[in-house]
Amino acid sequence: MIDLNASGKGLDGYELLAAQVQALFADERDFIANAAQFSAFIYHQVADLNWAGFYLNRDEQLVLGPFQGQVACVRIPFGKGVCGAAAATRQTQRVEDVHAFPGHIACDSASNSELVIPLVKEGRLIGVLDLDSPTLARFSEADQRGLEHLASIFLSLSDC
Ligand code: SME
């Protein structure tokens, strides 16, 4: 059993979360298991989220993967909505007000802002990590950097 609060390194914020994510995946590389754990970890450790999870690249279409939150739409074409934009451009989408985003897909009406991080490994788009918040402009640049770092740790420690 890993004690996630016993790093003893005096870390805080995203540095602490990064150390915890390293520990969480130290002994397991299965992608689905780690993706499920990661979505639960993010959902419970990052404040003010109503949805956290994965959409996976299945033949140039995003298909729902492990997540925490309300039931969500299952398939999203590349280029559609915030997730589709992240997949098509391979650029993180940090959206302060999803209602002002062209083509936004409203899975959970509670969502007001969104951060979607493309997951690219060795040139391949594995999918995207999608985080939704009920608060407008929930995600700062520092949140984006911190969460991109956590996603990169997840990717490097998972087989895919
Ligand atoms: N709002 C997303 C769809 C996924 S849900 O938020 C879980 C979008 O526009 O891509």
Side-chain angles (χ1 to χ4, degrees):
M1 181 71 166
I2 300 164
D3 182 353
L4 290 175
N5 294 314
S7 80
K9 292 179 187 162
L11 303 176
D12 61 11
Y14 284 105
E15 280 190 343
L16 175 58
L17 295 185
Q20 292 172 330
V21 168
Q22 296 266 7
L24 191 60
F25 302 139
D27 298 323
E28 182 57 64
R29 293 193 62 90
D30 183 87
F31 181 83
I32 293 294
N34 286 359
Q37 293 279 59
F38 193 56
S39 61
F41 179 83
I42 296 288
Y43 187 78
H44 289 286
Q45 299 303 321
V46 177
D48 201 19
L49 301 181
N50 61 299
W51 204 91
F54 291 85
Y55 280 91
L56 303 174
N57 180 3
R58 298 284 182 258
D59 299 323
E60 303 291 302
Q61 198 177 53
L62 293 172
V63 178
L64 184 64
F67 72 94
Q68 301 274 307
Q70 300 281 3
V71 294
C73 42
V74 174
R75 290 177 186 270
I76 299 175
F78 276 26
K80 181 131 193 282
V82 187
C83 291
T89 62
R90 297 189 175 196
Q91 301 286 317
T92 295
Q93 305 292 306
R94 185 161 58 88
V95 179
E96 295 192 342
D97 179 359
V98 293
H99 308 290
F101 191 94
H104 165 249
I105 302 162
C107 291
D108 182 346
S109 60
S111 299
N112 281 314
S113 63
E114 187 160 356
L115 183 73
V116 184
I117 298 170
L119 304 171
V120 179
K121 189 166 186 176
E122 293 154 9
R124 290 172 294 122
L125 182 80
I126 306 301
V128 302
L129 175 68
D130 181 18
L131 308 179
D132 287 20
S133 172
T135 301
L136 286 167
R138 159 66 183 85
F139 303 101
S140 65
E141 278 185 41
D143 289 312
Q144 178 177 339
R145 280 195 302 276
L147 288 156
E148 285 173 341
H149 183 51
L150 298 185
S152 74
I153 296 170
F154 158 75
L155 264 190
S156 69
L157 295 179
S158 303
D159 290 329
C160 53

